[in-house]
């Protein structure tokens, strides 16, 4: 299939594209990969299996301030995705060309559900295996407490994650790498390694699992040209983890993440 990544740039433009990639990654998931790697080193030095990481933290003892600060992370993720979308648009890659045209319920929603099941169920098993083998940290999806805005905000964070990661790491990054002349296989692997890198703060198992997720998602996008199913799938995976933990952690013993 001819995808949205087939427009190669002339040599004089490649330097600008390399700079653009560097700048975007420096303020988005490249920086996240750096901090994740540093966090992994710290966790290994302190004893990886005994460490704990919280994904959605309580940021203030004042409820409305806590809400405002957690919403800020949602706004940041939306802005990251919009940055990638804007840079692609201004260079001729409008939303339709990268798979963000009109949402089509059957292929986009059902495709997203299928991808979520394909990745989410084995991903849970990989997390449990990683904890058992001592190569993963204890992940607490939420510590927001029983507040009235907890579930809506967790859902917003989940789908904001999906929006930002799939627009930047798949649509933007893969498109730009193809324009630089890299082969489809190298582009897919590079994007997947980036995805795995910025999840290393959760341990080696999470890094490997997200590389696999990147390979599957990147291949699906390249084959179908649709980005919506990836965003839906990613949002659903995170939503189940966040909301499921928030609702069930006190009732199911196996959800105890005490290191």
């Amino acid at each position: 299939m001819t995808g949205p990544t087939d427009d190669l740039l002339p040599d004089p433009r490649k330097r600008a594209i390399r700079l653009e990639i560097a700048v975007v990654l420096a303020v988005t998931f490249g920086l996240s990969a750096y901090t994740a790697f540093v966090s992994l080193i710290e966790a290994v030095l302190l004893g990886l299996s005994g460490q704990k990481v919280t994904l959605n933290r309580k940021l203030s003892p004042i409820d409305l301030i806590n809400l405002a600060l957690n919403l800020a992370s949602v706004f940041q993720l939306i802005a990251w995705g919009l940055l990638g979308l804007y840079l692609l648009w201004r260079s001729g890659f409008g939303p339709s060309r990268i798979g963000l045209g009109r949402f089509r319920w059957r292929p986009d929603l059902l495709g997203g559900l299928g991808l979520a099941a394909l990745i989410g169920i084995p991903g849970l098993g990989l997390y449990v295996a990683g904890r058992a083998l001592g190569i993963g940290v204890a992940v607490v999806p939420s510590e927001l407490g029983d507040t009235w805005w907890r579930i809506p905000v967790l859902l917003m964070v989940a789908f904001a994650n999906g929006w930002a990661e799939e627009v930047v790491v798949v649509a933007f990054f893969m498109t730009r790498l193809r324009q630089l002349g890299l082969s489809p296989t190298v582009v897919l692997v590079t994007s997947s390694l980036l995805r795995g890198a910025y999840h290393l703060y959760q341990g080696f198992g999470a890094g490997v699992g997200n590389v696999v997720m990147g390979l599957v998602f990147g291949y699906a996008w390249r084959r179908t040209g649709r980005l919506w199913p990836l965003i839906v799938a990613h949002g659903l995976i995170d939503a189940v983890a966040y909301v499921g933990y928030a609702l069930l952690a006190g009732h199911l013993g196996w959800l105890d993440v005490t290191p």
Side-chain angles (χ1 to χ4, degrees):
M1 172 181 175
T2 300
T5 56
D6 294 330
D7 292 12
L8 301 182
L9 291 170
D11 288 339
R13 285 278 294 142
K14 289 184 178 181
R15 183 178 303 172
I17 290 298
R18 292 189 187 99
L19 179 60
E20 181 185 271
I21 292 172
V23 170
V24 170
L25 293 185
V27 298
T28 61
F29 295 105
L31 178 61
S32 297
Y34 169 77
T35 57
F37 183 67
V38 173
S39 296
L40 176 64
I41 293 174
E42 179 186 46
V44 170
L45 293 175
L46 294 175
L48 188 62
S49 62
Q51 303 307 305
K52 180 174 72 173
V53 61
T54 302
L55 303 184
N56 295 282
R57 297 181 294 114
K58 184 176 181 179
L59 301 174
S60 171
I62 302 172
D63 191 55
L64 290 180
I65 299 298
N66 191 22
L67 168 61
L69 291 174
N70 274 277
L71 285 176
S73 66
V74 174
F75 301 150
Q76 181 183 56
L77 289 165
I78 292 172
W80 285 3
L82 289 174
L83 174 63
L85 191 65
Y86 168 73
L87 291 172
L88 288 172
W89 170 77
R90 70 190 299 269
S91 62
F93 291 87
S96 295
R97 289 194 67 187
I98 62 170
L100 286 176
R102 183 174 60 86
F103 189 87
R104 298 186 299 194
W105 287 100
R106 177 170 294 182
D108 293 335
L109 181 58
L110 295 183
L113 288 170
L115 282 173
L118 179 65
I119 296 297
I121 296 173
L124 178 60
L126 186 62
Y127 169 74
V128 173
R131 290 291 295 150
L133 294 172
I135 59 172
V137 303
V139 177
V140 180
S142 172
E143 64 170 15
L144 294 182
D146 190 16
T147 184
W148 63 270
W149 49 265
R150 174 183 57 171
I151 301 303
V153 168
L154 289 175
L155 289 173
M156 283 190 281
V157 172
F159 284 94
N161 280 335
W163 162 260
E165 292 189 41
E166 306 316 325
V167 171
V168 174
V169 179
V170 174
F172 171 80
F173 193 45
M174 291 181 66
T175 296
R176 290 307 194 223
L177 291 181
R178 280 293 291 134
Q179 288 183 290
L180 292 177
L182 276 66
S183 72
T185 299
V186 171
V187 168
L188 178 60
V189 171
T190 303
S191 172
S192 302
L193 289 174
L194 173 61
R195 188 188 296 261
Y198 61 76
H199 284 94
L200 283 173
Y201 68 95
Q202 299 177 20
F204 294 105
V208 172
N210 276 277
V211 169
V212 174
M213 178 179 176
L215 292 171
V216 173
F217 276 30
Y219 179 78
W221 179 69
R222 198 172 68 189
R223 288 285 296 176
T224 67
R226 301 292 295 174
L227 195 66
W228 283 121
L230 278 61
I231 296 172
V232 170
H234 194 142
L236 287 173
I237 291 169
D238 284 3
V240 169
Y242 298 167
V243 177
Y245 179 85
L247 295 178
L248 300 175
H251 305 283
L252 297 177
W254 64 273
L255 284 176
D256 181 18
V257 293
T258 303

